[in-house]
């Protein structure tokens, strides 16, 4: 048996109904924007493997940093100890984060970064004797799969089985064009009750909802409203962080900054699982007390893993190079040119571009479910043609490594054009 066949003997894959799913291609090698399976079939990784590989696969600069760290100190517990790479990474992050971010809490992945953020906001008010047990989130948001992150997420089939076990979350509409006033009015109504600890949001782009985009000015207003009513704002930049939107962080488009930020995915260049939750000084001060019971009792065995920190330091160094910044602009220009070409297509309802993110919505005669027949047809067509794309219902998006070549991008665009003719 080959690896794809042996895989199904024991492995349970995420977001997969194995009774109807077929074999998974077994990837054995990657370089830059390309992956190869065990049969030497080549794939263009047009979504950077769930948005984590901005600098491509098998990046030598990050690999060298990891190897050097592994031969020095692979891991040490962060409870009661620190180490040089965690200090250096925190210092480095402080030079690129919004200036109001003052404290960094390390964890393992995007869901746990969100979990820490929500727990931090809720316990802040508990520590102050002013218990607030609710949070506000966007409809159709996705913040992760742990319980706090699930509660904040609005995609029901992910959370339906657990809805009776989740903390209370009230949702407001995504403030897309035409929805802004309704969203702001509802937010004002909610925060005025003094029952809410935080408002969590994906800034400017809701990824799992289908790369739904909204404007910075309305988010500015929403943050300002929360500030007035002392409701903490949490920016989930797990997807948008580290260059995806054309700026280092999506919140760099804002004047009003969030109180808390969640980072993961591209943090280590797609090499080692790691996440970060950053806090403004006010939140941290709500835990700074002689009473041990007011500490943030949350931790992970691999918190601030030195090897992950070394990878993150190398990843940020790469992001800040002139070459990588030029790549981001090049991909954005290419997306904009493709958008102009494709947006008038009879089967295209809408298109949108921000940074290296491109999305188009295919015209349908009825509502298309997240994992419906159209999505399956699209996904299979792309895989057959050597392109890794994961449509969301009838929405096709591209979020490639920044190092993808113009020729590879053109193949992705041409393949999308081809699928529109047969769908």
């Amino acid at each position: 048996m080959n690896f794809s066949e042996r895989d199904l003997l024991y492995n349970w894959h995420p977001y997969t109904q194995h009774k109807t799913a077929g074999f998974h291609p077994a990837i054995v090698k990657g370089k830059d924007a390309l992956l190869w399976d065990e049969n030497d079939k080549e794939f263009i990784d047009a979504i950077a493997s769930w948005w984590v590989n901005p600098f491509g696969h098998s990046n030598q600069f990050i690999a060298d940093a990891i190897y050097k760290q592994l031969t020095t100190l692979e891991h040490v517990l962060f409870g009661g100890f620190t180490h040089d790479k965690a200090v250096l990474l925190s210092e480095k992050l402080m030079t690129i984060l919004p200036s109001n971010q003052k404290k960094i809490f390390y964890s393992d992945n995007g869901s746990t970064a969100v979990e820490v953020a929500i727990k931090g906001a809720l316990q802040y008010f508990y520590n102050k004797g002013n218990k607030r047990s609710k949070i506000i989130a966007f409809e159709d948001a996705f913040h992760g799969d742990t319980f706090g992150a699930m509660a904040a997420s609005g995609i029901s089939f992910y959370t339906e089985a657990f809805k009776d076990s989740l903390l209370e979350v009230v949702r407001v509409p995504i403030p897309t064009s035409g929805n802004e006033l309704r969203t702001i009015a509802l937010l004002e109504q909610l925060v005025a009750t003094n029952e809410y600890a935080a408002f969590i949001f994906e800034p400017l782009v809701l990824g799992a909802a289908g790369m739904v985009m909204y404007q910075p000015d309305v988010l500015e207003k929403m943050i300002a409203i929360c500030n007035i009513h002392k409701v903490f704002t949490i920016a989930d930049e797990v997807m948008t962080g580290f260059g995806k939107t054309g700026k280092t962080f999506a919140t760099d488009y804002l004047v009003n900054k969030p109180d808390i930020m969640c980072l993961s995915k591209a943090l280590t260049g797609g090499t080692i699982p790691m996440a970060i939750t950053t806090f403004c000084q006010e939140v941290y001060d709500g835990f700074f007390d002689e009473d041990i019971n007011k500490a943030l009792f949350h931790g992970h065995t691999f918190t601030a893993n030195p090897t992950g920190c070394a990878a993150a330091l190398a990843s940020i160094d790469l992001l800040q190079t002139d070459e990588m910044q030029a790549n981001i602009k090049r991909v954005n220009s290419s997306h904009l040119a493709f958008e102009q070409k494709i947006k008038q297509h009879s089967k295209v309802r809408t298109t949108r571009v921000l940074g290296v993110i491109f999305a188009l919505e295919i015209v349908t005669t009825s509502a298309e479910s997240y994992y419906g027949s159209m999505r399956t047809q699209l996904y299979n067509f792309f895989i057959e043609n050597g392109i890794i794309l994961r449509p969301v219902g009838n929405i096709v998006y591209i979020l490639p490594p920044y190092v993808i070549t113009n020729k590879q991008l053109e193949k992705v665009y041409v393949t999308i054009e081809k699928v529109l003719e047969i769908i």
Side-chain angles (χ1 to χ4, degrees):
M1 290 192 293
N2 60 26
F3 284 114
S4 287
E5 294 169 323
R6 290 157 61 185
D7 170 77
L8 294 184
L9 294 176
Y10 306 110
N11 291 335
W12 191 343
H13 289 261
Y15 308 118
T16 299
Q17 176 47 266
H18 279 280
K19 188 166 186 177
T20 57
F23 293 112
H24 295 78
I27 302 301
V28 296
K29 184 175 65 173
K31 184 61 181 173
D32 298 332
L34 298 177
L35 293 166
W36 290 268
D37 72 9
E38 61 187 324
N39 300 311
D40 208 33
K41 180 175 179 177
E42 182 181 281
F43 297 88
I44 298 174
D45 187 356
I47 57 167
S49 285
W50 264 339
W51 323 332
V52 304
N53 287 89
F55 315 115
H57 298 279
S58 303
N59 182 280
Q60 192 64 50
F61 185 72
I62 300 177
D64 287 344
I66 290 171
Y67 173 76
K68 183 178 180 181
Q69 186 60 42
L70 284 172
T71 60
T72 306
L73 175 68
E74 76 299 328
H75 182 64
V76 64
L77 70 162
F78 209 57
F81 292 87
T82 191
H83 55 84
D84 58 339
K85 292 302 184 295
V87 174
L88 291 169
L89 178 55
S90 295
E91 290 174 345
K92 183 73 170 180
L93 285 164
M94 286 302 165
T95 68
I96 61 175
L97 285 164
S99 60
N100 69 328
Q101 300 301 297
K102 300 298 183 183
K103 296 293 179 180
I104 288 173
F105 194 99
Y106 289 92
S107 62
D108 292 358
N109 58 68
S111 295
T112 56
V114 169
E115 207 78 13
V116 171
I118 291 173
K119 289 174 74 172
L122 291 172
Q123 190 179 336
Y124 172 91
F125 289 102
Y126 180 87
N127 285 354
K128 295 290 185 180
N130 177 23
K131 185 177 179 181
R132 298 188 185 188
S133 58
K134 304 176 185 178
I135 63 173
I136 301 166
F138 281 137
E139 296 172 354
D140 297 324
F142 182 76
H143 294 289
D145 294 323
T146 51
F147 270 74
M150 274 198 302
S153 300
I155 302 174
S156 62
F157 67 88
Y158 280 131
T159 58
E160 185 68 23
F162 313 101
K163 64 181 181 181
D164 295 332
S165 303
L166 302 177
L167 67 97
E168 187 171 353
V169 178
V170 175
R171 307 181 201 289
V172 297
I174 306 168
T176 50
S177 180
N179 259 346
E180 298 95 337
L181 293 178
R182 185 162 68 99
T183 300
I184 288 173
L186 181 54
L187 180 68
E188 287 181 319
Q189 178 184 334
L190 293 173
V191 296
T193 65
N194 294 322
E195 297 175 353
Y196 296 89
F199 164 45
I200 185 169
F201 53 87
E202 296 163 86
L204 308 188
V205 188
L206 279 76
M211 300 300 164
V212 177
M213 299 181 186
Y214 61 100
Q215 295 302 309
D217 60 339
V218 67
L219 185 55
E220 293 269 19
K221 293 175 184 176
M222 297 179 79
I223 292 175
I225 290 166
C226 289
N227 289 343
I228 291 170
H229 292 274
K230 304 299 182 184
V231 173
F232 290 123
T233 51
I234 303 171
D236 179 352
E237 293 239 26
V238 169
M239 186 274 282
T240 54
F242 303 103
K244 306 290 185 14
T245 64
K247 293 183 181 288
T248 302
F249 301 109
T251 44
D252 290 343
Y253 287 93
L254 308 175
V255 175
N256 292 329
K257 303 300 185 182
D259 301 299
I260 303 168
M261 293 176 64
C262 305
L263 309 173
S264 190
K265 288 197 181 288
L267 171 64
T268 64
T271 56
I272 294 174
M274 175 171 276
I276 284 170
T277 309
T278 72
F279 294 93
C280 67
Q281 190 67 40
E282 182 180 1
V283 178
Y284 178 79
D285 287 346
F287 292 78
F288 195 71
D289 197 281
E290 293 182 359
D291 184 355
I292 185 62
N293 294 310
K294 290 186 177 181
L296 179 56
F297 285 103
H298 188 104
H300 299 265
T301 302
F302 284 92
T303 293
N305 169 255
T307 312
C309 289
L313 282 163
S315 181
I316 294 170
D317 284 345
L318 278 176
L319 178 65
Q320 293 180 316
T321 62
D322 292 342
E323 178 184 3
M324 208 57 65
Q325 291 299 311
N327 278 333
I328 292 171
K329 292 176 182 176
R330 173 180 57 84
V331 173
N332 174 254
S333 296
S334 186
H335 283 346
L336 290 170
F338 179 56
E339 181 185 39
Q340 288 302 310
K341 178 181 180 182
I342 202 71
K343 68 180 182 180
Q344 300 302 327
H345 194 288
S346 61
K347 292 186 180 178
V348 173
R349 179 173 288 139
T350 60
T351 59
R352 45 195 175 270
V353 175
L354 182 63
V356 301
I357 305 167
F358 169 89
L360 66 79
E361 181 183 6
I362 298 174
V363 174
T364 57
T365 55
S366 59
E368 181 66 24
S369 65
Y370 202 91
Y371 283 103
S373 59
M374 177 179 283
R375 185 267 179 195
T376 300
Q377 185 181 358
L378 291 166
Y379 178 78
N380 289 340
F381 182 87
F382 293 134
I383 291 297
E384 288 166 7
N385 284 271
I387 308 291
I388 300 176
L389 291 172
R390 288 179 63 88
V392 178
N394 63 324
I395 296 168
V396 176
Y397 74 86
I398 309 167
L399 204 169
Y402 308 154
V403 297
I404 192 169
T405 66
N406 290 337
K407 184 177 180 181
Q408 290 163 351
L409 271 174
E410 185 58 29
K411 182 177 178 181
V412 175
Y413 299 148
V414 168
T415 306
I416 291 173
E417 291 179 285
K418 287 179 180 177
V419 83
L420 289 175
E421 301 308 317
I422 65 169
I423 200 73

